[in-house]
Amino acid sequence: MNFKKIIAIYKKELLDLLRDRRTVVSSIVIPIILYPLIMIGFSSMMSRQEMKMEQKEVTIYVQDNLQDEKSEKVLGEFEQIENLQLMQPVQNSQLQTYLDLLQEDSIQAVVTINDSINSAGYEVLQLKIYYNNAEENSSEAYSRLKQTLPEIEKQLVASRLQKLQVDTEVLDAINTESENVAPPTKMFGFILGRILPYLLILMTISSGSVVASDLVAGEKERGTLETILVSAADRMDIVIGKFLTIITFSIITVLLNLMSMFISIRYILIQMTTEVTAVSLPIGNFVLILVIMIPLVTLFSAILLSLSTYSRNIKEAQSYQMPILFTAIILSMISFLPGFKLNYGFALIPIVNFALLFQGILTGSFHLGYFLTVIGSTLVLDVIAVKISLNLFNNEKVLFRTAPEESYKFWGKKNRQNIFTTRIAIILYFAIFLALIYLGGKWQTQEFISGMIKTQLLLILLPVLVILRISKQDTKKALQIKASKPLNYLVVLLGFIPILIVVISVTQLINYLFPIPESYLKNLSEIISMKDQSLWLNLGVIALLPAICEEVLFRGYFLRVFSQKGFWKGIVIVALMFGAFHMSPYRILPTGLLGVWLAYLALKGKSLHLPILAHFLNNGVTVIIDRFGEQIPFLSKLGNDNIPLWWALPALVILYFIYKFMENYNTENVRL
């Protein structure tokens, strides 16, 4: 790595970008103009609309079916409401006529007054308010009426008590006073903390994506990438130079966004005649946010550079960037949700951690441990993302990727092997995933046993068998349905308890970082137990059926597809797919670890029998624990996910020796 060459690449890319009018406008000009226009304009429009709604004349019709002293009092109070008029009744008109006028927005509310008797035998006015919540004028009329009714009720009760010669103060059982002790600055930070993280993250990604898509994918499209590749700079110098360029423009965007927000908010406060000294803007917090944005900016820059390197042109790069942008939008919106506070669990989730950290800084609830965890975990991801960018840039097949799109066809003698392509596997995965959401969940909710059987056989097993049949594959050969070496079966029997202990330990750690709701655990326990059914039926539906069907799909088909990318790479990819397949954020990592064990057995033992047996034992012991756990203390601890964490250490040692044995015992080529 040559620092001078990196700087030369960096200067060259900056000059090229500054000559690009589109990049300058989107990354520099828009942040300066956009926030003042949006924030000041929106604030002015909102204030103006609120004033207009308060001054808006609304008309209501009151159908007085009592016409006594109490109803006259109600009408008198309605007449005192500002900008509210009572419509005179139309001769021989029924209630439906006025309701039709309400639907047409000719009037904004209809009130009927009747009498009633409560359980104590006292007369009660029965008021019913008809309004159209889809119309703002009608909603405003309803709001004004609701604000007036408590005062009317208070007067009527006072009149009733006076007749009974009872002092009205007898009703004052509780005198409540409230005082908000939060200083104005903290309240302002609380409000600002809801929207600022979302806007910063959104603008950072959007500005970085514009620059990143042009730096590599744009050069591919223009045919200028080869020129820089034959220069004196090596690949690492080029990548780092481009990486620094994206970071620079992203930081400029963040800085301009913060400055623009600061100026816009200050202007709004002055326009609202608020004492700026009473609500001082948190300048120090803005500076701190700018500093800690750097690790997040570098992470986004590395991801966007990798996508640009992989893409063949700007259009393809932008299509890959859209899922990143949407994911970031959804995750950053956690700052809008009430009840979410930064903890060590959330501090490990990208984007979510920064959104909650920004919110904590603006409200003054800063925690050094959380801060260091957020920065540390992001820096680790930075290193991984930069490493991926370097690997992609050093891969000639990726850098000059011009191969045509893979065919979706997998039938016919010529295309039989197309069934084992990544593209077909991904399509099949998401098709089954959607089928589980729309069909499997419905079937299992209606009747669990039959729903589970239909889900496993029709949605998970059948698609694999169909595409194998259409492509005229030998099912047993394609899925490795054959016997393994004898001792491999013993390994499965010896290893299922240690792997279960590791999975439970990871679940306990997840529960510590992200507390699992009791309702979720209760529903999961009810699904597993089915104590009104026989033990053999439970084992068949919960253990045997998923062991066969899911292993055919994941360790049979998917593992064969993705193991072509490498032994461990294929194992990890299929394990992640297996974890996500169970559609629970609390089970992704534990189930993924189990998936690693199952895939390793399949590849090393060269047989689908091994993961089927291991899967059956894992699910089967869960059923046994639920049925007999109360009678056996050891099983009770496993069933309650309440084992001592130190148990994981001997379990990992046992798994290590099992791994060494498998490596020595199965020395043949394991690639499917």
Side-chain angles (χ1 to χ4, degrees):
M1 184 172 66
N2 190 307
F3 186 72
K4 290 184 178 180
K5 293 178 182 178
I6 291 174
I7 295 299
I9 297 292
Y10 174 60
K11 289 181 178 179
K12 177 258 181 191
E13 298 295 352
L14 279 180
L15 289 174
D16 287 345
L17 288 173
L18 290 173
R19 294 190 188 103
D20 186 355
R21 185 181 303 172
R22 182 190 64 175
T23 303
V24 172
V25 169
S26 62
S27 301
I28 299 176
V29 177
I30 287 181
I32 296 175
I33 299 175
L34 187 62
Y35 281 123
L37 287 177
I38 290 178
M39 298 181 71
I40 297 174
F42 183 76
S43 176
S44 301
M45 288 175 59
M46 186 170 63
S47 300
R48 181 173 177 271
Q49 285 301 111
E50 287 179 354
M51 186 179 299
K52 283 182 63 178
M53 289 301 297
E54 291 175 358
Q55 298 174 351
K56 181 77 173 179
E57 290 280 351
V58 294
T59 303
I60 71 169
Y61 170 72
V62 179
Q63 180 174 293
D64 185 1
N65 297 324
L66 293 182
Q67 296 184 355
D68 60 6
E69 182 182 351
K70 294 188 290 295
S71 65
E72 288 295 331
K73 197 172 193 63
V74 173
L75 290 172
E77 290 295 329
F78 283 172
E79 289 174 347
Q80 298 301 315
I81 299 176
E82 190 176 358
N83 298 320
L84 185 142
Q85 293 183 350
L86 297 182
M87 178 184 179
Q88 296 300 319
V90 180
Q91 190 174 8
N92 299 325
S93 293
Q94 302 295 320
L95 176 61
Q96 186 59 45
T97 302
Y98 299 104
L99 294 178
D100 292 339
L101 293 175
L102 176 61
Q103 291 285 353
E104 299 168 2
D105 201 31
S106 299
I107 59 176
Q108 281 67 56
V110 175
V111 182
T112 60
I113 304 177
N114 296 287
D115 62 350
S116 179
I117 303 295
N118 64 17
S119 59
Y122 291 102
E123 292 183 1
V124 177
L125 282 182
Q126 191 76 29
L127 269 67
K128 186 171 184 179
I129 304 175
Y130 299 88
Y131 72 105
N132 185 355
N133 203 26
E135 294 287 345
E136 290 184 352
N137 293 335
S138 184
S139 297
E140 177 66 21
Y142 174 72
S143 177
R144 295 179 192 177
L145 292 172
K146 286 286 289 183
Q147 291 174 5
T148 306
L149 289 177
E151 181 62 29
I152 298 174
E153 183 180 23
K154 184 177 180 180
Q155 294 178 15
L156 292 175
V157 170
S159 176
R160 180 180 295 175
L161 291 175
Q162 287 176 0
K163 290 180 181 180
L164 297 172
Q165 297 182 346
V166 176
D167 194 334
T168 56
E169 290 187 0
V170 73
L171 299 176
D172 298 332
I174 298 177
N175 186 18
T176 303
E177 294 183 1
S178 62
E179 180 181 353
N180 183 8
V181 298
T185 300
K186 189 163 185 177
M187 281 301 302
F188 181 71
F190 172 76
I191 297 171
L192 194 61
R194 292 293 178 99
I195 190 171
L196 181 62
Y198 170 77
L199 291 176
L200 280 178
I201 292 172
L202 177 62
M203 292 299 294
T204 301
I205 297 180
S206 58
S207 62
S209 62
V210 173
V211 177
S213 60
D214 185 72
L215 283 182
V216 183
E219 288 197 335
K220 288 182 182 181
E221 192 171 345
R222 294 188 297 269
T224 58
L225 182 62
E226 291 81 356
T227 304
I228 195 172
L229 290 176
V230 298
S231 65
D234 61 23
R235 297 289 176 90
M236 180 176 290
D237 298 335
I238 296 171
V239 170
I240 295 177
K242 291 179 180 292
F243 180 54
L244 292 176
T245 304
I246 302 173
I247 292 175
T248 301
F249 265 80
S250 298
I251 291 177
I252 290 173
T253 301
V254 172
L255 179 61
L256 292 175
N257 287 339
L258 288 172
M259 290 176 57
S260 181
M261 285 182 184
F262 178 85
I263 295 170
S264 302
I265 294 169
R266 187 177 181 85
Y267 177 84
I268 292 172
L269 292 176
I270 295 173
Q271 290 296 107
M272 294 172 63
T273 65
T274 303
E275 291 290 339
V276 179
T277 55
V279 185
S280 59
L281 293 174
I283 302 176
N285 292 345
F286 274 67
V287 174
L288 181 58
I289 287 173
L290 176 63
V291 172
I292 64 176
M293 276 290 292
I294 295 175
L296 185 63
V297 168
T298 55
L299 176 61
F300 287 149
S301 300
I303 293 173
L304 294 171
L305 182 60
S306 298
L307 294 176
S308 181
T309 304
Y310 182 77
S311 305
R312 290 174 293 182
N313 49 55
I314 292 179
K315 182 179 179 181
E316 184 176 337
Q318 291 173 344
S319 67
Y320 292 145
Q321 290 168 358
M322 289 306 295
I324 302 295
L325 181 60
F326 286 137
T327 302
I329 289 174
I330 293 172
L331 294 178
S332 61
M333 287 179 68
I334 194 172
S335 61
F336 290 104
L337 303 178
F340 281 91
K341 296 287 186 180
L342 186 62
N343 56 31
Y344 286 110
F346 287 127
L348 298 174
I349 303 178
I351 302 177
V352 169
N353 51 11
F354 276 90
L356 295 178
L357 180 60
F358 294 161
Q359 192 178 61
I361 290 172
L362 290 169
T363 57
S365 55
F366 184 82
H367 190 287
L368 181 60
Y370 300 156
F371 171 81
L372 295 176
T373 305
V374 171
I375 300 301
S377 62
T378 305
L379 289 176
V380 171
L381 294 176
D382 284 349
V383 173
I384 295 173
V386 172
K387 179 65 176 175
I388 292 173
S389 297
L390 289 171
N391 291 340
L392 288 173
F393 214 83
N394 285 315
N395 190 328
E396 299 291 335
K397 292 182 179 180
V398 172
L399 200 60
F400 301 104
R401 190 169 64 92
T402 57
E405 298 291 332
E406 295 179 21
S407 173
Y408 292 96
K409 185 178 178 182
F410 57 86
W411 56 85
K413 185 175 181 180
K414 185 178 180 180
N415 298 287
R416 285 184 185 179
Q417 296 302 317
N418 284 353
I419 184 180
F420 296 111
T421 63
T422 302
R423 181 166 302 220
I424 296 297
I426 292 174
I427 292 173
L428 179 63
Y429 179 79
F430 283 107
I432 295 177
F433 195 88
L434 292 174
L436 285 176
I437 294 174
Y438 290 105
L439 292 177
K442 180 181 178 181
W443 289 344
Q444 294 176 34
T445 302
Q446 291 174 345
E447 211 287 314
F448 179 75
I449 294 178
S450 63
M452 186 73 172
I453 294 172
K454 287 192 292 185
T455 298
Q456 292 290 331
L457 294 178
L458 300 181
L459 302 185
I460 296 177
L461 178 63
L462 184 62
V464 179
L465 299 180
V466 168
I467 61 174
L468 287 172
R469 180 67 176 175
I470 292 176
S471 61
K472 299 182 179 179
Q473 295 280 338
D474 185 333
T475 302
K476 290 186 176 181
K477 183 178 179 181
L479 301 178
Q480 294 281 301
I481 303 176
K482 61 179 182 179
S484 184
K485 291 184 176 180
L487 291 182
N488 286 333
Y489 294 96
L490 180 61
V491 165
V492 174
L493 296 175
L494 294 175
F496 88 94
I497 289 295
I499 193 67
L500 181 62
I501 290 173
V502 171
V503 168
I504 292 175
S505 300
V506 171
T507 304
Q508 290 182 193
L509 290 175
I510 291 174
N511 191 28
Y512 173 76
L513 297 173
F514 309 98
I516 302 174
E518 290 293 333
S519 57
Y520 172 82
L521 296 175
K522 182 179 178 181
N523 292 336
L524 187 62
S525 177
E526 290 176 354
I527 290 174
I528 294 172
S529 62
M530 296 191 302
K531 291 184 178 179
D532 55 334
Q533 305 293 336
S534 70
L535 175 62
W536 299 111
L537 181 61
N538 284 11
L539 288 172
V541 174
I542 300 296
L544 182 59
L545 195 60
I548 295 173
C549 299
E550 293 178 13
E551 292 310 307
V552 166
L553 177 64
F554 284 94
R555 263 61 63 176
Y557 175 72
F558 287 140
L559 188 60
R560 172 159 182 178
V561 173
F562 292 104
S563 64
Q564 299 173 39
K565 299 179 179 296
F567 182 84
W568 285 109
K569 186 179 289 187
I571 287 177
V572 172
I573 291 173
V574 174
L576 292 174
M577 294 169 66
F578 185 61
F581 194 74
H582 289 77
M583 293 184 283
S584 170
Y586 307 107
R587 298 177 64 189
I588 289 178
L589 185 56
T591 310
L593 288 174
L594 179 63
V596 170
W597 166 248
L598 298 174
Y600 179 78
L601 291 175
L603 284 181
K604 268 298 175 184
K606 299 179 66 175
S607 170
L608 197 62
H609 290 173
L610 301 180
I612 289 177
L613 176 60
H615 198 147
F616 172 77
L617 290 173
N618 178 79
N619 290 15
V621 77
T622 305
V623 174
I624 298 297
I625 288 171
D626 187 78
R627 186 64 67 98
F628 305 106
E630 297 178 357
Q631 305 170 21
I632 306 174
F634 174 74
L635 292 181
S636 179
K637 287 187 176 182
L638 292 178
N640 295 326
D641 289 349
N642 191 27
I643 64 173
L645 288 179
W646 65 265
W647 283 16
L649 294 177
L652 288 172
V653 171
I654 294 172
L655 289 174
Y656 173 76
F657 283 112
I658 288 175
Y659 164 76
K660 297 300 291 184
F661 172 79
M662 291 288 288
E663 290 293 314
N664 294 325
Y665 183 60
N666 302 278
T667 55
E668 301 89 345
N669 183 12
V670 297
R671 188 168 181 174
L672 295 177

